[in-house]
Amino acid sequence: MLGESDERGATVGRNWSPGVPASRMKLKEIDRTAMQAWSPAQNHPIYLATGTSAQQLDATFSTSASLEIFELDLSDPSLDMKSCATFSSSHRYHKLIWGPHKMDSKGDVSGVLIAGGENGNIILYDPSKIIAGDKEVVIAQNDKHTGPVRALDVNIFQTNLVASGANESEIYIWDLNNFATPMTPGAKTQPPEDISCIAWNRQVQHILASANPSGRATVWDLRKNEPIIKVSDHSNRMHCSGLAWHPDVATQMVLASEDDRLPVIQMWDLRFASSPLRVLENHARGILAIAWSMADPELLLSCGKDAKILCSNPNTGEVLYELPTNTQWCFDIQWCPRNPAVLSAASFDGRISVYSIMGGSADGLRQKQVDKLSSSFGNLDPFGTGQPLPPLQIPQQTAQHRIVLPLKKPPKWVRRPVGASFSFGGKLVTFASVRTQPQQGAEQQLQQHHVRISQVVTEEEFLSRSAQLQQVVQSQGFVSYCQKKIDASQTEFEKNVWSFLKVNFEDDSRGKYLELLGYRKEDLGKKIASALNKVDGPDVRIKEEKQESEFLPSAGGTFNISISGDIDGLITQALLTGNFESAVDLCLHDNRMADAIILAIAGGQELLAQTQKKYFAKSQSKITRLITAVVMKNWKEIVESCDLKNWREALAAVLTYAKPDEFSALCDLLGTRLESEGDSLLQTQACLCYICAGNVEKLVACWTKAQDGSNPLSLQDLIEKVVILRKAVQLTQAMDTNTVGVLLAEKMSQYANLLAAQGSIAAALAFLPDNTNQPNIVQLRDRLCRAQGNPAPGQQESPKIPYERQQLPKGRPGPVAGHTQMPRVPAQQYYPHVRIAPTVTTWSNKTPTALPSHPPAASPSDTQGENPPPPGFIMHGNVNPNVATAQLPTSPGHMHTQVPPYPQPQRSQNGWNDPPALNRVPKKKKMPENFMPPVPITSPIMNPLGDHQSQMLQQQPSAPVPLSSQASFPQPHLPGGQPFHGIQQPLSQPGMPPSFSKPNIEGAPGAPIGNTMQHVQSLPTEKITKKPIPDEHLILKTTFEDLIQRCLSSATDPQTKRKLDDASKRLEFLYDKLREQTLSPTIISGLHNIARSIETRNYSEGLTIHTHIVSTSNFSETSAFMPVLKVVLTQANKLGV
Amino acid sequence: MVSVINTVDTSHEDMIHDAQMDYYGTRLATCSSDRSVKIFDVRNGGQILIADLRGHEGPVWQVAWAHPMYGNVLASCSYDRKVIIWKEENGTWEKTHEHTGHDSSVNSVCWAPHDYGLILACGSSDGAISLLTYTGLGQWEVKKINNAHTIGCNAVSWAPAVVPGSLIDQPSGQKPNYIKKFASGGCDNLIKLWKEEEDGQWKEEQKLEAHSDWVRDVAWAPSIGLPTSTIASCSQDGRVFIWTCDDASGNAWSPKLLHKFNDVVWHVSWSITANILAVSGGDNKVEIFQNKKFKYTWRESLSYIWPKFLLETLFYNQKGSA
């Protein structure tokens, strides 16, 4: 804009200079006295054509004329219009219009420029040729008219039809496709007059209106080829300078009068043609031109000899806007068809100005120059910026900042009638407005302004699968779920994964894993048998055995001890002198391996180990390394160095032999090797290893790597497996399951986000990991809780807010009356709670005997909000909601550390005494120090039991260690914390019940044990002197213990044995209560009834009595032992002992 | 699948121009040509009028909720050239600030990502964009970009808060070095991207040209962890473009035509997961597009295309019901 380059950058900062206007309502200027025509609405960019006005009255009296085309470039802040082309014309123009006909000729510009000349001529120009600089720009020309052609209009329905008007009442209809012969709309009106205006109806294509300076308007029907109505107020003072049809209402039109005595705009409705519908008397002198906005029928521009440009609402007569102009008259005014806010006005002072109707500053540069010295700011803060302006150092550069108010009423095109916005939870807010017809404007019908809130769901399958998963988690129907997944699996790998996952929920999981890997024990047994048969045949074997047995008794007889010089003799001598070492060496030397080993065993541990080593060094068979590993218990060696093709075998070996404390690590190791070294197929198999290892995080990583897409369904694929695996791990290992790794947390929150986006807020909440302090997860949780319509999570207990609260002016920091206000709390206070979960879990898993005697009604979980999340799966470490609840510490002294930040996910759904819940408990494997690995072959002859016990005794002192290893967390619930003094009767080492050590002998020495693990109390071994059980109740103890023993002796699978073991221990609670005599008579008598039914082996009756007791008694009284009693009864019933 | 779960009778006496839910989706703010702003509690399918805010002297075009960490704060802009910031105090809503720095209709307001503080961008028909930053103690600092869009700015939309480069590089405890950006669309048919310089000045970073008529709305897609930036724009010309930028410098934007409508398109809105776009246009029509190829991890190809998938079309007929 004429040198003001600082406006171009538009980077005016805070202290923006007052000399620069924020914006102008005047956009562009062209120094021409010319008729003007905007390019049609279809055309982009916007052009303005100007043709030298025939009425030009400039000082030069020049007769030259030109047709020019300018481009309206609004991104250029300067006032100059960009000139695109100039064509020197031999004509001057009375009228110039730009019709869209013949669009798409070529180039950017299209349509046809139609000019009305001085001598009855109509000329058609090709604007694209003008812009291209062609010399031949005239398409056609016709001189049929008489006198100056002042009126031209293009039919908007048939753009090839152009109407023109000239002197002598001449009206022609031109077909641009057949320009030579125009038509007439009917007989000429009499008396002959000049036609000053002509306009096609905007609604009905065959209706045309014409008007003349004498004040009459005629409406023509081209179908009838005659005038159908004449409009006149008979005042004889209307000198029509303008005629325009209503853009929307077919029967309405306005006429403008040039007469200073009647400077009005009349609004007519042809249905009431006797008098104007409305008269607009806003101009002081005659009106020279009018223009009705096609974009908003409530905007009519008019300019007059009073030098005003007004914008009025012809439907009401109200002036909406007055354009600030100088004192010159405007003789032509036009709306830009494409940009509805833009208009142009041609004035007699030789200028065409382009304005915006949207207001802004009136400060054009010229204006500014005029006003330069006029005044300075009267107000130190004219822009309401809240910042006083700096002192004015160069006052002459400032100008008055004249703000032109925008239209009183916003134009239609800025009134957004419809909208749709997404919000949290996949909700879509929409509204729309009814189109009101202007003619009904007066009788505004009762409109209802509604806003709709819709739920947008795009992932139906995803949602249904997610719901299924939740349902499974809730109902604990993992096995059947996995089975369904197996059945539905499309790929072998998928099937394998689900099979592995399923095994986790079955007894003897390791054995089942082995089966999945192709090692079925029965099959193997058969194979071995047949292999043996092949060699010897069954008869031979039996015979041999017979021989042996026949031989052995005779061993008691005399035999010859040879001391000859041969090897035998030397061995004999060595043995006789107790020199086992030499004897063994001799045997080895003589390749008598079996003798060597036997002797080495007799020679003690050290010798045996040496002998084994020598044996392995000597033996080179294919399976030596395996045997080595088996004997040396060096599974790491296998896992680390096996050929990856043999990963199955390696995994099988680990499954068979590894101790629980190393099992996971070994599976992990194998998985990691597969992942990093193997080919792509093996990489995916790593997933299976991680499933065995229960390593959720690694499974996620491996899976993510192996699966390509992460669309909702593939995310669902992953989450299903992860959730099931976590459940499995929680059930079986209770180890590290509560900590959510970074990757898993990311996936889970992605998943939660996706669920939320589909409107499943509750499900999202259920799946969101709650024991992480990742801010995005914490915030998502808060958002989900509130979206559910609940108060912020944990608000009752301790206010939480996932972000630091910021304050607005005058805002009170804390919660105000608004219920949604959140109290201000330092952000870091938010996090500690999330650390607690692991502790809780650890505690509850470690101390299966530490059942609280308080009713869970006191549990904080019951103080949660009115809408707890669905009992879905929450990533708490707790194995089982039911058990978890029962084990929640509820003594008041622990409440403060236990307060859950959010509605308690562990909340029991089915009741505390749900039997399956208890079945799960003993399954927890996290007792590595008590696990009896396959007994090494070092002691095939030595007393295996003794060896066991010595091991156990050695390990005993270290029992509590794993607990304290988590000392980084608060440990309010450690068994050592004595929350249940006096009630808890830890079983001290010597006082182990008989059942305790029994299972240890179960497996033959050296046999794989797998899941067979024993629980040992990790409680302090201090001796507590107990009162004796009253004699009359002793029968209960003996009956129950006897029953457990009977069950134990007939139970075959280790799983059951463990359950029974555990039950035996838990029944101590009952015995304690008997000692304390705290049980109510009802319960006591019920227990005696059960005992009697046990005596009669009527276990089902016992169970019925049990149920009765439980349903009628106080929870706190019986919760510690009744569930186990039920387990025992159930087992007894099952085993039929 | 789109199912109406709540129909709120706003009792506005004239056209509604905007309706926005708060951060949690529990409250609805509406504004209208009747000059009022209303707030409804819409939890559990209800529609309880909480506030009827009067203060504007012209039609109110847009409302915008601030992030809840700043309390319950709502901004509104109007044809009366004013921007009003409303705040709930002690359970009642009142005006907390009035910004009168524009010479014409203020058409759009948009709060910056909450990580930056409380910053409001306002686009006006006077062609300027102003940025209000709350500086504490009831003070708002104003920065103004003059002549951002000739004839007027119709829409402003902030880029999500993304830290350039890796997140891991950020020294912990230090305030992340965000680069603030927003997009604006205007009557000059342009979309412009603005970036805050180190000296705090706003500078035009990019001009995106594809529309041949007024840009009615721009919407910067929420960040979902992809390095790709995405902007949707719609125009008077009936076109909706999806602009994407994959390169680190953030300057190579390419448009893809999502759809060409026969009528003006007024508004575009992204779902939170940035894979669904709601397009509302003339003829009272709302169309919902879903990007079926949309991926949820950064591992996916950076230059994702937008396979047009018309999910649903909601028609409002003359009587205003679907």
Side-chain angles (χ1 to χ4, degrees):
Chain A
M1 60 169 269
L2 302 180
E4 283 227 1
S5 57
D6 54 326
E7 272 197 41
R8 284 173 184 263
T11 53
V12 182
R14 168 156 40 113
N15 298 318
W16 49 296
S17 73
V20 180
S23 67
R24 299 173 307 255
M25 50 139 345
K26 188 174 199 172
L27 303 168
K28 302 286 173 187
E29 271 183 5
I30 309 169
D31 288 329
R32 302 282 187 282
T33 307
M35 303 307 293
Q36 37 169 352
W38 289 100
S39 55
Q42 297 89 327
N43 209 73
H44 174 74
I46 295 170
Y47 293 106
L48 182 68
T50 64
T52 307
S53 169
Q55 295 165 310
Q56 183 183 18
L57 296 168
D58 69 9
T60 62
F61 292 95
S62 156
T63 53
S64 69
S66 63
L67 195 59
E68 289 174 275
I69 292 179
F70 297 88
E71 184 187 333
L72 179 67
D73 180 4
L74 293 173
S75 57
D76 171 11
S78 93
L79 268 178
D80 297 322
M81 282 279 264
K82 195 164 100 193
S83 173
C84 296
T86 304
F87 168 72
S88 285
S89 165
S90 52
H91 304 281
R92 293 184 166 215
Y93 306 105
H94 281 274
K95 184 76 180 173
L96 190 63
I97 58 173
W98 194 331
H101 186 63
K102 286 188 184 168
M103 301 291 294
D104 308 314
S105 55
K106 54 181 142 156
D108 289 338
V109 199
S110 46
V112 57
L113 264 172
I114 306 158
E118 290 172 286
N119 304 310
N121 46 354
I122 292 176
I123 313 143
L124 307 182
Y125 297 97
D126 186 338
S128 59
K129 285 188 176 163
I130 296 176
I131 288 176
D134 281 9
K135 285 194 177 129
E136 295 302 317
V137 298
V138 175
I139 301 168
Q141 181 169 350
N142 197 307
D143 302 336
K144 207 171 169 64
H145 268 303
T146 308
V149 179
R150 293 194 182 87
L152 283 172
D153 195 26
V154 173
N155 187 306
I156 59 167
F157 300 98
Q158 282 179 270
T159 56
N160 58 316
L161 294 183
V162 178
S164 64
N167 291 353
E168 306 295 328
S169 298
E170 278 177 6
I171 298 174
Y172 290 125
I173 312 293
W174 307 86
D175 182 350
L176 296 181
N177 297 322
N178 182 16
F179 193 60
T181 50
M183 301 163 283
T184 61
K188 283 184 182 179
T189 53
Q190 293 297 333
E193 284 178 298
D194 298 347
I195 304 289
S196 56
C197 317
I198 200 156
W200 292 98
N201 191 283
R202 301 296 192 182
Q203 298 291 319
V204 185
Q205 60 174 336
H206 51 87
I207 300 292
L208 181 74
S210 64
N212 52 43
S214 69
R216 253 199 301 269
T218 307
V219 179
W220 307 83
D221 185 339
L222 297 194
R223 287 188 310 191
K224 295 177 181 165
N225 214 31
E226 61 180 37
I228 50 168
I229 199 164
K230 286 186 182 173
V231 175
S232 168
D233 69 346
H234 308 291
S235 69
N236 288 328
R237 282 189 292 176
M238 276 293 283
H239 284 202
C240 282
S241 56
L243 161 67
W245 285 99
H246 196 295
D248 289 345
V249 185
T251 56
Q252 293 185 356
M253 61 192 279
V254 292
L255 294 171
S257 168
E258 195 180 345
D259 194 317
D260 286 347
R261 293 168 300 166
L262 191 69
V264 298
I265 295 170
Q266 292 177 337
M267 171 100 150
W268 291 86
D269 192 311
L270 303 183
R271 292 167 291 185
F272 316 100
S274 52
S275 63
L277 194 67
R278 192 170 295 109
V279 179
L280 282 62
E281 298 171 294
N282 302 316
H283 281 280
R285 297 184 66 191
I287 294 156
L288 295 171
I290 56 170
W292 204 331
S293 168
M294 287 294 285
D296 186 346
E298 299 191 338
L299 300 181
L300 179 72
L301 286 171
S302 56
C303 54
K305 289 185 270 187
D306 57 1
K308 279 182 181 172
I309 300 175
L310 298 180
C311 183
S312 327
N313 181 353
N315 303 309
T316 62
E318 184 190 13
V319 176
L320 299 169
Y321 190 52
E322 181 176 345
L323 270 87
T325 53
N326 49 31
T327 51
Q328 289 294 320
W329 303 357
C330 288
F331 59 87
D332 189 18
I333 192 159
Q334 302 282 342
W335 289 103
C336 171
R338 185 173 185 87
N339 193 329
V342 170
L343 63 108
S344 60
S347 57
F348 282 119
D349 65 348
R351 185 177 302 144
I352 291 172
S353 305
V354 177
Y355 297 98
S356 157
I357 202 152
M358 294 307 291
S361 162
D363 300 337
L365 183 66
R366 283 149 205 260
Q367 218 90 31
K368 243 168 45 189
Q369 283 166 341
V370 171
D371 296 341
K372 201 158 28 179
L373 303 171
S374 61
S375 64
S376 43
F377 289 96
N379 165 353
L380 280 176
D381 184 12
F383 313 120
T385 58
Q387 307 260 337
L389 291 164
L392 296 172
Q393 287 167 345
I394 322 161
Q396 64 267 32
Q397 279 195 352
T398 64
Q400 186 165 34
H401 188 70
R402 276 210 300 154
I403 293 170
V404 177
L405 298 183
L407 287 169
K408 278 184 191 162
K409 147 205 114 70
K412 189 180 168 187
W413 61 81
V414 301
R415 284 177 275 161
R416 185 164 86 181
V418 61
S421 300
F422 273 105
S423 83
F424 186 62
K427 293 199 178 67
L428 184 68
V429 179
T430 57
F431 60 89
S433 156
V434 185
R435 286 197 173 165
T436 39
Q437 296 297 314
Q439 68 260 42
Q440 299 160 349
E443 70 266 10
Q444 185 96 32
Q445 52 194 162
L446 255 179
Q447 275 188 42
Q448 289 192 318
H449 298 281
H450 285 162
V451 172
R452 271 191 231 151
I453 303 169
S454 307
Q455 182 69 56
V456 178
V457 173
T458 55
E459 304 289 345
E460 275 99 350
E461 189 189 346
F462 168 79
L463 282 186
S464 89
R465 280 176 60 184
S466 176
Q468 236 169 48
L469 179 61
Q470 259 194 292
Q471 199 265 329
V472 164
V473 170
Q474 194 182 337
S475 69
Q476 307 261 335
F478 301 115
V479 175
S480 64
Y481 181 73
C482 292
Q483 188 56 50
K484 253 185 256 164
K485 286 286 175 188
I486 294 167
D487 297 342
S489 291
Q490 305 280 335
T491 65
E492 195 60 28
F493 174 65
E494 181 84 4
K495 197 170 176 173
N496 275 338
V497 167
W498 280 111
S499 305
F500 270 70
L501 285 169
K502 183 183 162 205
V503 163
N504 280 306
F505 299 99
E506 295 170 328
D507 290 344
D508 186 22
S509 60
R510 285 197 187 189
K512 297 260 170 61
Y513 279 138
L514 283 173
E515 285 177 20
L516 287 172
L517 287 170
Y519 296 95
R520 187 178 284 274
K521 274 180 186 160
E522 295 85 35
D523 291 356
L524 188 62
K526 277 180 208 153
K527 272 187 212 160
I528 290 172
S530 78
L532 291 173
N533 287 349
K534 250 181 244 161
V535 178
D536 299 328
D539 300 338
V540 183
R541 258 183 79 211
I542 295 165
K543 208 173 119 196
E544 274 180 356
E545 278 169 16
K546 256 186 194 165
Q547 281 174 347
E548 255 177 89
S549 55
E550 277 165 12
F551 172 76
L552 279 175
S554 69
T558 58
F559 66 98
N560 180 25
I561 302 173
S562 162
I563 46 163
S564 55
D566 59 3
I567 298 282
D568 274 0
L570 288 174
I571 292 171
T572 310
Q573 289 175 42
L575 285 175
L576 291 175
T577 55
N579 190 345
F580 285 100
E581 216 173 316
S582 302
V584 166
D585 280 347
L586 284 166
C587 289
L588 285 172
H589 180 75
D590 201 27
N591 232 3
R592 293 156 73 168
M593 294 299 175
D595 286 350
I597 298 288
I598 299 269
L599 284 174
I601 291 164
Q605 292 285 345
E606 203 178 317
L607 181 57
L608 179 61
Q610 280 174 13
T611 312
Q612 283 173 350
K613 223 178 261 173
K614 283 178 188 161
Y615 167 77
F616 292 131
K618 257 187 118 159
S619 170
Q620 293 299 330
S621 102
K622 277 187 285 181
I623 57 163
T624 305
R625 279 184 83 173
L626 177 62
I627 295 173
T628 312
V630 169
V631 173
M632 309 301 248
K633 296 181 285 177
N634 190 358
W635 310 109
K636 207 169 167 203
E637 155 79 6
I638 288 196
V639 165
E640 270 176 347
S641 50
C642 73
D643 187 335
L644 280 178
K645 277 178 208 144
N646 293 122
W647 70 271
R648 278 172 195 278
E649 288 69 33
L651 185 57
V654 169
L655 281 165
T656 309
Y657 293 105
K659 285 189 275 181
D661 59 343
E662 58 181 18
F663 174 72
S664 289
L666 289 170
C667 290
D668 260 6
L669 195 62
L670 187 60
T672 312
R673 271 194 72 202
L674 284 169
E675 219 183 321
S676 57
E677 295 170 34
D679 55 31
S680 58
L681 189 71
L682 290 176
Q683 280 174 11
T684 56
Q685 307 295 352
C687 288
L688 298 179
C689 295
Y690 295 141
I691 289 173
C692 292
N695 192 329
V696 178
E697 188 72 3
K698 280 202 166 175
L699 175 67
V700 173
C702 183
W703 185 270
T704 316
K705 203 153 73 179
Q707 301 298 311
D708 46 348
S710 281
N711 62 36
L713 287 180
S714 81
L715 187 59
Q716 174 71 26
D717 278 343
L718 172 64
I719 297 299
E720 280 170 0
K721 290 169 185 96
V722 167
V723 165
I724 296 297
L725 180 59
R726 284 183 62 96
K727 280 288 155 197
V729 170
Q730 285 164 358
L731 286 177
T732 55
Q733 299 186 359
M735 177 183 178
D736 290 336
T737 53
N738 36 25
T739 48
V740 176
V742 177
L743 196 55
L744 178 60
E746 184 198 311
K747 288 282 163 196
M748 291 309 278
S749 71
Q750 221 174 58
Y751 188 65
N753 265 314
L754 203 51
L755 282 168
Q758 299 290 319
S760 296
I761 304 280
L765 207 45
F767 280 101
L768 198 63
D770 65 348
N771 46 0
T772 168
N773 58 2
Q774 293 179 34
N776 56 335
I777 293 179
V778 173
Q779 284 169 21
L780 179 59
R781 171 164 298 278
D782 166 76
R783 196 173 187 181
L784 289 166
C785 283
R786 286 167 172 274
Q788 270 195 323
N790 289 340
Q795 211 169 18
Q796 285 100 335
E797 294 97 2
S798 62
K800 308 291 185 327
I801 181 161
Y803 22 68
E804 194 88 42
R805 202 62 191 276
Q806 300 264 332
Q807 292 313 308
L808 263 197
K810 292 168 272 167
R812 281 216 298 114
V816 286
H819 51 281
T820 47
Q821 283 280 8
M822 292 177 287
R824 185 190 186 108
V825 157
Q828 61 271 29
Q829 278 192 15
Y830 188 71
Y831 298 129
H833 80 271
V834 297
R835 297 265 184 203
I836 289 172
T839 311
V840 173
T841 311
T842 307
W843 169 79
S844 59
N845 290 335
K846 291 268 179 193
T847 56
T849 53
L851 281 169
S853 56
H854 299 272
S859 157
S861 66
D862 281 1
T863 61
Q864 66 190 13
E866 62 274 19
N867 285 332
F873 128 97
I874 301 247
M875 299 214 108
H876 256 304
N878 282 313
V879 170
N880 181 311
N882 311 314
V883 174
T885 302
Q887 294 183 343
L888 274 177
T890 48
S891 77
H894 291 280
M895 284 282 268
H896 62 284
T897 47
Q898 181 60 21
V899 168
Y902 295 111
Q904 268 299 87
Q906 306 97 324
R907 185 172 186 172
S908 170
Q909 295 299 315
N910 306 326
W912 55 274
N913 58 349
D914 188 64
L918 268 170
N919 291 344
R920 303 290 187 194
V921 175
K923 246 186 142 181
K924 290 169 199 162
K925 289 183 195 160
K926 172 65 180 141
M927 289 287 163
E929 62 276 17
N930 303 317
F931 169 69
M932 294 300 112
V935 178
I937 304 172
T938 48
S939 53
I941 288 173
M942 302 301 180
N943 180 355
L945 181 57
D947 192 44
H948 263 213
Q949 281 169 340
S950 68
Q951 279 185 12
M952 270 190 297
L953 288 168
Q954 278 165 5
Q955 288 164 354
Q956 198 55 39
S958 64
V961 167
L963 295 171
S964 54
S965 69
Q966 307 192 8
S968 55
F969 300 118
Q971 300 188 17
H973 316 300
L974 289 186
Q978 295 103 24
F980 306 113
H981 257 319
I983 303 168
Q984 201 171 15
Q985 297 296 336
L987 296 161
S988 54
Q989 189 64 24
M992 267 187 286
S995 62
F996 177 70
S997 57
K998 206 173 171 190
N1000 295 346
I1001 331 169
E1002 196 64 32
I1009 289 187
N1011 279 358
T1012 314
M1013 280 164 283
Q1014 319 308 326
H1015 286 263
V1016 169
Q1017 288 308 304
S1018 50
L1019 298 172
T1021 53
E1022 63 177 302
K1023 188 89 182 168
I1024 295 168
T1025 324
K1026 295 173 179 178
K1027 281 194 241 167
I1029 296 176
D1031 287 344
E1032 66 269 30
H1033 301 320
L1034 209 51
I1035 180 77
L1036 296 176
K1037 185 177 183 199
T1038 50
T1039 308
F1040 296 151
E1041 283 186 348
D1042 178 54
L1043 180 64
I1044 290 172
Q1045 285 311 312
R1046 289 207 310 262
C1047 290
L1048 272 171
S1049 53
S1050 62
T1052 47
D1053 65 312
Q1055 203 78 24
T1056 312
K1057 284 177 187 295
R1058 276 200 297 113
K1059 277 183 207 163
L1060 291 164
D1061 264 354
D1062 192 61
S1064 153
K1065 277 173 270 163
R1066 280 168 184 257
L1067 280 176
E1068 279 298 320
F1069 280 102
L1070 169 62
Y1071 309 147
D1072 288 344
K1073 291 210 177 229
L1074 292 173
R1075 288 184 185 102
E1076 305 287 329
Q1077 305 198 343
T1078 51
L1079 288 173
S1080 71
T1082 335
I1083 294 172
I1084 293 280
S1085 80
L1087 288 171
H1088 278 283
N1089 286 337
I1090 292 178
R1092 274 192 289 278
S1093 67
I1094 290 172
E1095 297 284 283
T1096 59
R1097 307 203 169 190
N1098 190 347
Y1099 304 117
S1100 55
E1101 183 193 271
L1103 282 166
T1104 316
I1105 301 164
H1106 181 278
T1107 310
H1108 180 74
I1109 298 175
V1110 168
S1111 56
T1112 53
S1113 67
N1114 185 336
F1115 172 86
S1116 62
E1117 239 184 315
T1118 58
S1119 61
F1121 57 85
M1122 282 308 271
V1124 273
L1125 194 52
K1126 184 170 180 182
V1127 172
V1128 174
L1129 286 167
T1130 313
Q1131 282 302 332
N1133 199 23
K1134 202 165 117 192
L1135 296 167
V1137 293
Chain B
M1 192 185 71
V2 180
S3 41
V4 177
I5 53 176
N6 196 354
T7 302
V8 180
D9 182 358
T10 62
S11 299
H12 276 300
E13 287 154 24
D14 203 342
M15 238 168 156
I16 297 172
H17 297 298
D18 199 12
Q20 296 286 337
M21 296 261 238
D22 70 353
Y23 179 80
Y24 300 110
T26 56
R27 278 187 288 184
L28 174 73
T30 61
C31 60
S32 156
S33 267
D34 70 6
R35 306 179 171 197
S36 70
V37 172
K38 296 188 180 188
I39 299 171
F40 298 87
D41 182 339
V42 293
R43 280 183 297 175
N44 305 318
Q47 41 182 294
I48 304 156
L49 180 68
I50 299 175
D52 184 349
L53 306 176
R54 307 281 169 158
H56 281 296
E57 297 158 61
V60 189
W61 299 136
Q62 281 190 9
V63 285
W65 290 93
H67 191 274
M69 71 185 284
Y70 302 105
N72 293 315
V73 177
L74 185 74
S76 62
C77 62
S78 162
Y79 188 70
D80 69 2
R81 299 174 288 149
K82 287 193 285 197
V83 173
I84 297 181
I85 296 167
W86 312 85
K87 179 161 168 46
E88 190 188 54
E89 298 276 357
N90 305 321
T92 56
W93 284 84
E94 35 193 70
K95 191 191 290 183
T96 181
H97 182 68
E98 192 171 289
H99 172 54
T100 53
H102 284 286
D103 296 336
S104 185
S105 172
V106 185
N107 301 319
S108 183
V109 281
C110 184
W111 291 103
H114 65 87
D115 320 63
Y116 307 160
L118 204 49
I119 306 177
L120 185 72
C122 321
S124 165
S125 283
D126 68 8
I129 295 167
S130 56
L131 292 132
L132 313 185
T133 305
Y134 183 62
T135 54
L137 304 169
Q139 294 300 306
W140 293 80
E141 181 194 84
V142 181
K143 288 181 188 175
K144 200 161 176 186
I145 304 170
N146 284 319
N147 291 309
H149 293 277
T150 310
I151 308 194
C153 172
N154 295 326
V156 282
S157 174
W158 286 86
V162 175
V163 181
S166 169
L167 284 161
I168 303 145
D169 295 343
Q170 287 298 323
S172 58
Q174 227 169 299
K175 216 178 164 188
N177 185 27
Y178 292 113
I179 291 185
K180 298 177 192 145
K181 281 189 191 184
F182 69 89
S184 63
C187 300
D188 52 6
N189 309 349
L190 294 175
I191 296 154
K192 290 185 177 181
L193 306 185
W194 307 87
K195 182 179 161 187
E196 193 187 44
E197 301 284 282
E198 278 173 18
D199 60 2
Q201 300 298 301
W202 285 88
K203 196 165 183 185
E204 181 184 315
E205 192 190 35
Q206 279 278 294
K207 260 193 195 104
L208 307 184
E209 294 187 66
H211 287 293
S212 57
D213 210 331
W214 289 9
V215 177
R216 287 293 189 176
D217 199 10
V218 284
W220 207 308
S223 165
I224 36 95
L226 293 167
T228 306
S229 300
T230 308
I231 294 173
S233 66
C234 64
S235 160
Q236 187 72 25
D237 66 12
R239 291 185 176 88
V240 177
F241 280 104
I242 306 289
W243 303 81
T244 50
C245 173
D246 294 338
D247 75 322
S249 65
N251 290 324
W253 289 85
S254 59
K256 282 229 159 58
L257 182 66
L258 175 68
H259 193 64
K260 163 92 170 70
F261 294 86
N262 293 323
D263 210 332
V264 45
V265 183
W266 287 94
H267 188 49
V268 282
S269 172
W270 291 100
S271 68
I272 307 258
T273 42
N275 65 330
I276 310 174
L277 187 74
V279 178
S280 34
D283 294 341
N284 295 327
K285 198 160 86 174
V286 176
E287 296 205 355
I288 301 163
F289 294 88
Q290 184 190 14
N291 185 349
K292 281 265 174 170
K293 274 263 176 75
F294 187 80
K295 306 294 189 195
Y296 289 84
T297 61
W298 57 269
R299 272 177 248 273
E300 297 310 317
S301 154
L302 302 185
S303 56
Y304 76 94
I305 51 160
W306 181 283
K308 186 179 75 180
F309 173 65
L310 181 59
L311 188 71
E312 197 123 349
T313 306
L314 311 172
F315 275 107
Y316 285 84
N317 66 17
Q318 292 288 308
K319 287 186 182 116
S321 58

